[in-house]
Amino acid sequence: MSSFKKRVPASQPKPPPATRINPHSAQLLVSTGVPALDDVLGGGLPVGGVLLIEQDRQTGYSNTLLSYFASQAIAAGHKLCIVNADRDVNLASQLPGWAGVSRSAPESGTSTGAETEQGGAGDKMQIAWRYQNLPRVDGREADTQSHSEPSAGPPSTAATDTPYCENFDLSMRIPQKVIDRASVDIVDGDAIARGMSGTENKSGDMYRHVLEKISALIDDGFSSLKPLPPNAERNILRIELRSLGSGFWRSSDPNAILAFLHGLRGLLRYSYAACVISFPAYLYEEAGVRLPIVRRIEHLCDAVIELESFEGSNATPSSIVARQIKGEAASNSQEYHGFLHIHKLPRLNSLTASMGRLSILHTGGGSANNLAFRLRRKKFSIETYHLPIEGGVTERRVPAKEESNTPRLPSGAGCGSTPGRKDPLEF
């Protein structure tokens, strides 16, 4: 009898649904719901990371990105926690739907002035066979176009059966019955006030109460430090904090938001959770200059992006070139709605960001990039910004009838001569 024994690899646990591995850093990624934003971040939002979205003063485009993030959680069967101290959350009227489970959105829910997009979601464009295997910004392959209705609770399908990013449509809404079956935990201002009244938090610090709420959710099956029960599958916890740091977040300590972000990042590092935060940075300005606390808040997050719309005047001082580009874009080009500035990219498990190697829209990174966004009737897209063609259709054309009003030179006047005299240069 042989003493050698065949080595059998240990059974690896299945990855959570709707996730993928970053080939650059071996980090587990989840989709933000916007394929172009996933591409900018290097494939998606890392599990255990924090994405900070700096809001625009004039518009609410950041709320559109948050609605995509929440809809992707429901489509993938992930646990969703929404914290909003400003107002009540109505998911049935805010979240975009996808083909198969969606209903038409009311006319009041569509944005005014948005462009209409031709073609349906299921229309396919026939291209040459040599271009079919090239990478795409949306990240979907040809065989992953089917969309199914999500099930309640933790999904029982494998990660490969669930699409990494659904094809959402802003003109549709998720039915209420699908939202009721999903695992969603909403914490609004009233819920925070009721929770603080029954705890030992007598100082009225909302940051502390929300951090304790998130810690309890992570301990309930999303911590990487606790083993799972037998035959249990991992799932993802998606945390969405809306308008963090606004006037509705009450605290006696002016630096409570820094302690909150430090504790939040420590909790997420050892968990299967990802967080997206919208931050009104314009509230932390004096005479158009941001306070130093904004830079410290950005340092405590893993990725930071800023949405700057073309609507309104130049509220913040910028360079002359940036103002000229913004003025030309607002007056001449109506295709884009604003700039997307990248202040920080995720670098979990790596010293360098993955955007330079994995992103299709990579333009060098930093805040001086040339990425722009536009909100159409059916989708939110991020593209490379292009200036209008010089001398194109945007240039004013003089009608033919106005040519007769232009003054003419008298007869006999040539180059360098006076009227009535013969030009000595003429032969």
Side-chain angles (χ1 to χ4, degrees), residues 22 25 27-32 41 43-51 164 268-269 273-275 302-303 345-348:
N22 188 343
S25 60
Q27 181 70 30
L28 194 65
L29 303 177
V30 294
S31 175
T32 60
L41 297 176
L45 180 62
V47 174
V50 180
L51 171 61
Y164 178 72
L268 296 180
R269 284 295 189 270
C275 181
D302 299 300
L345 290 173
R347 290 176 172 86
L348 276 71

Side-chain angles (χ1 to χ4, degrees), residues 114-178:
E115 303 178 20
T116 59
E117 185 180 10
Q118 297 179 358
D123 296 339
K124 296 183 180 179
M125 182 177 62
Q126 299 294 334
I127 60 177
W129 61 270
R130 62 176 65 91
Y131 303 120
Q132 292 179 358
N133 295 328
L134 293 179
R136 297 172 51 184
V137 176
D138 53 10
R140 284 187 295 270
E141 304 296 338
D143 56 347
T144 58
Q145 296 294 336
S146 60
H147 307 284
S148 58
E149 185 172 347
S151 57
S156 59
T157 58
T160 56
D161 298 335
T162 305
Y164 178 72
C165 181
E166 284 285 354
N167 187 16
F168 296 103
D169 191 342
L170 291 176
S171 63
M172 299 181 179
R173 291 294 179 265
I174 302 179
Q176 185 63 42
K177 61 179 183 179
V178 177

Side-chain angles (χ1 to χ4, degrees), residues 61 115 334-338 372-376 379-383:
Y61 291 112
E115 303 178 20
Q334 301 296 333
E335 296 182 357
Y336 305 101
H337 293 154
F373 67 89
R374 54 181 171 182
L375 180 62
R376 296 182 176 181
K379 68 176 181 178
F380 181 94
S381 60
I382 301 174
E383 302 173 1

Side-chain angles (χ1 to χ4, degrees), residues 150-207:
S151 57
S156 59
T157 58
T160 56
D161 298 335
T162 305
Y164 178 72
C165 181
E166 284 285 354
N167 187 16
F168 296 103
D169 191 342
L170 291 176
S171 63
M172 299 181 179
R173 291 294 179 265
I174 302 179
Q176 185 63 42
K177 61 179 183 179
V178 177
I179 299 177
D180 296 338
R181 292 199 303 266
S183 180
V184 181
D185 192 356
I186 299 177
V187 182
D188 53 6
D190 297 337
I192 296 176
R194 291 192 302 267
M196 292 172 58
S197 61
T199 59
E200 299 179 358
N201 188 6
K202 303 301 181 182
S203 60
D205 191 352
M206 299 180 65
Y207 295 99

Side-chain angles (χ1 to χ4, degrees), residues 22-81:
N22 188 343
H24 176 61
S25 60
Q27 181 70 30
L28 194 65
L29 303 177
V30 294
S31 175
T32 60
V34 182
L37 183 58
D38 294 340
D39 178 80
V40 169
L41 297 176
L45 180 62
V47 174
V50 180
L51 171 61
L52 183 69
I53 304 175
E54 297 183 357
Q55 299 178 359
D56 184 71
R57 181 189 299 269
Q58 305 290 337
T59 59
Y61 291 112
S62 60
N63 296 330
T64 304
L65 295 180
L66 294 177
S67 63
Y68 270 101
F69 184 76
S71 295
Q72 180 60 36
I74 297 178
H78 296 165
K79 173 73 175 181
L80 177 61
C81 176

Side-chain angles (χ1 to χ4, degrees), residues 227-347:
L228 284 177
N231 300 328
E233 296 182 1
R234 286 287 185 186
N235 201 6
I236 298 296
L237 171 63
R238 290 174 178 254
I239 305 172
E240 187 176 297
L241 305 179
R242 301 185 177 183
S243 299
L244 183 69
S246 63
F248 292 90
W249 291 77
R250 300 186 303 271
S251 178
S252 58
D253 186 5
N255 296 325
I257 185 174
L258 301 177
F260 171 79
L261 292 175
H262 183 76
L264 176 63
R265 191 171 65 169
L267 291 174
L268 296 180
R269 284 295 189 270
Y270 300 97
S271 66
Y272 287 86
C275 181
V276 174
I277 303 174
S278 63
F279 174 63
Y282 56 87
L283 297 179
Y284 295 82
E285 294 180 357
E286 289 185 358
V289 180
R290 291 186 176 181
L291 300 177
I293 191 175
V294 178
R295 184 68 183 92
R296 299 177 63 183
I297 291 174
E298 294 177 354
H299 180 71
L300 291 173
C301 299
D302 299 300
V304 181
I305 62 174
E306 179 185 0
L307 300 178
E308 181 186 4
S309 66
F310 294 150
E311 299 182 13
S313 60
N314 295 327
T316 59
S318 57
S319 63
I320 299 178
V321 177
R323 287 199 299 265
Q324 290 178 352
I325 295 176
K326 185 175 180 180
E328 292 182 8
S331 59
N332 300 332
S333 176
Q334 301 296 333
E335 296 182 357
Y336 305 101
H337 293 154
F339 284 124
L340 175 69
H341 301 293
I342 304 173
H343 298 299
K344 189 177 181 181
L345 290 173
R347 290 176 172 86

